[in-house]
C-alpha cells in the first residue's frame, strides 16, 4: 500500500483513515464512480490504482493482497468476495492495455451546508490511445474563400483583355491619323510646288 502521507489524516487515527480509504475504494470498484470531497478523492486515487495494478497482475498472491484490504471491511455484509471478483474479473482485464491513469477526478463545486469542495472520482472506461475527433468547422468555409480569389483572377483577366483591346484600338486610330496627316502634308507640298512653278513661268511671258 502507499506510504502514509505527512500532515493531518483523514480521520482520528491511522486505523480510521485506513478503513475509510478501503471503504471508498470498495465503493468505487462496486459502482464505478462515487461522489466525495476533493481531499478524499485525491487521497483515494493512488490507493485505488494500486489495487487495480494488483488486479492487472491477476495471480493468487495479488488476489490475497487485495483481499487483505477489502475483505476485513465487508466480511459482515458478505459483499467483499463479490467486489474482489469484480476487481479481478472485470476491472483488471479492462485496464490491461492502459499503462496508468485508471481513475478520473471531476470537480462539481461546493457542498451545501459547509461549502466543502466536492468531486466525482470514477474509473476510466475509454480504451487507451483513443481520443475525441476534433471539429473542423473552418474547413467548410475554405471553398468559398478559394472561390473568391478565382473570381478576382477572372475579373483581372477580363480587365487586362479589355485594356489590351483599347490599346490596339488607340494604336490603329493613331496610325490612321498619322497617315491622314502625311497625306495632307504631301498635298500641301504639291500645291506649293505648283504655285512656285506658275510664279516662275509668268515672268518669261
Amino acid at each position: 500500500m502507499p506510504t502514509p502521507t505527512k500532515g493531518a489524516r483523514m480521520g482520528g487515527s491511522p486505523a480510521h483513515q485506513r478503513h475509510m480509504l478501503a471503504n471508498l475504494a470498495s465503493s468505487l470498484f462496486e459502482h464505478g464512480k462515487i461522489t466525495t470531497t476533493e481531499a478524499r478523492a485525491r487521497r483515494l486515487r493512488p490507493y485505488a490504482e494500486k489495487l487495480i495494478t494488483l488486479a492487472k497482475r491477476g495471480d493468487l498472491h495479488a488476489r490475497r493482497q487485495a483481499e487483505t484490504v477489502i475483505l476485513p471491511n465487508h466480511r459482515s455484509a458478505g459483499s467483499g468476495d463479490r467486489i474482489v471478483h469484480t476487481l479481478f474479473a472485470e476491472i483488471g482485464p479492462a485496464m490491461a492495455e492502459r499503462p496508468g491513469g485508471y481513475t478520473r477526478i471531476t470537480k462539481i463545486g461546493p457542498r451545501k451546508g459547509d461549502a466543502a469542495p466536492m468531486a466525482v472520482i470514477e474509473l476510466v472506461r475509454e480504451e487507451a490511445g483513443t481520443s475525441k475527433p476534433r471539429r473542423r468547422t473552418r474547413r467548410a468555409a475554405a471553398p468559398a474563400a478559394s472561390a473568391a480569389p478565382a473570381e478576382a483572377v477572372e475579373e483581372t483577366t477580363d480587365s487586362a483583355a479589355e485594356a489590351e483591346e483599347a490599346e490596339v484600338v488607340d494604336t490603329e486610330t493613331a496610325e490612321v491619323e498619322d497617315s491622314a496627316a502625311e497625306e495632307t502634308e504631301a498635298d500641301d507640298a504639291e500645291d506649293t510646288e505648283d504655285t512656285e512653278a506658275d510664279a516662275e513661268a509668268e515672268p518669261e511671258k
Side-chain angles (χ1 to χ4, degrees):
M1 290 297 102
T3 304
T5 57
K6 296 181 180 180
R9 296 185 180 90
M10 291 294 180
S13 64
H16 186 189
Q17 175 177 280
R18 185 171 59 252
H19 288 297
M20 183 185 62
L21 291 176
N23 287 331
L24 289 172
S26 300
S27 299
L28 177 63
F29 299 145
E30 184 177 5
H31 302 289
K33 65 178 180 179
I34 57 174
T35 301
T36 182
T37 60
E38 289 184 21
R40 290 181 179 179
R42 287 194 298 268
R43 189 68 64 86
L44 173 63
R45 187 172 194 172
Y47 190 91
E49 291 191 356
K50 287 283 186 178
L51 293 173
I52 294 175
T53 302
L54 293 176
K56 288 176 64 177
R57 280 170 47 191
D59 55 2
L60 180 60
H61 180 57
R63 182 180 289 269
R64 287 178 175 173
Q65 284 181 303
E67 287 176 351
T68 59
V69 175
I70 296 175
L71 288 184
N73 297 289
H74 296 81
R75 191 178 300 277
S76 59
S79 60
D81 292 331
R82 177 168 51 82
I83 295 173
V84 173
H85 175 74
T86 301
L87 177 62
F88 278 80
E90 299 178 7
I91 299 176
M95 302 293 182
E97 300 298 329
R98 183 176 292 276
Y102 312 120
T103 58
R104 179 189 297 117
I105 296 176
T106 305
K107 298 179 181 180
I108 59 175
R111 180 170 57 191
K112 292 183 179 180
D114 59 353
M118 302 296 290
V120 173
I121 180 170
E122 59 184 339
L123 299 175
V124 178
R125 298 296 186 180
E126 294 84 0
E127 295 182 1
T130 59
S131 59
K132 295 181 179 180
R134 296 181 179 180
R135 295 182 179 179
R136 300 290 186 180
T137 56
R138 296 182 179 179
R139 293 285 180 89
S146 61
E151 294 177 357
V153 170
E154 291 178 358
E155 292 178 357
T156 306
T157 307
D158 294 340
S159 60
E162 292 177 358
E164 291 179 357
E165 292 178 358
E167 289 179 359
V168 170
V169 171
D170 293 341
T171 304
E172 293 177 354
T173 305
E175 291 178 355
V176 171
E177 291 178 355
D178 292 341
S179 60
E182 290 177 357
E183 291 178 358
T184 305
E185 290 178 359
D187 294 339
D188 293 341
E190 290 178 358
D191 294 340
T192 304
E193 290 178 357
D194 294 339
T195 305
E196 291 177 356
D198 294 339
E200 291 176 357
E202 286 179 358
E204 292 178 358
K205 292 179 179 180

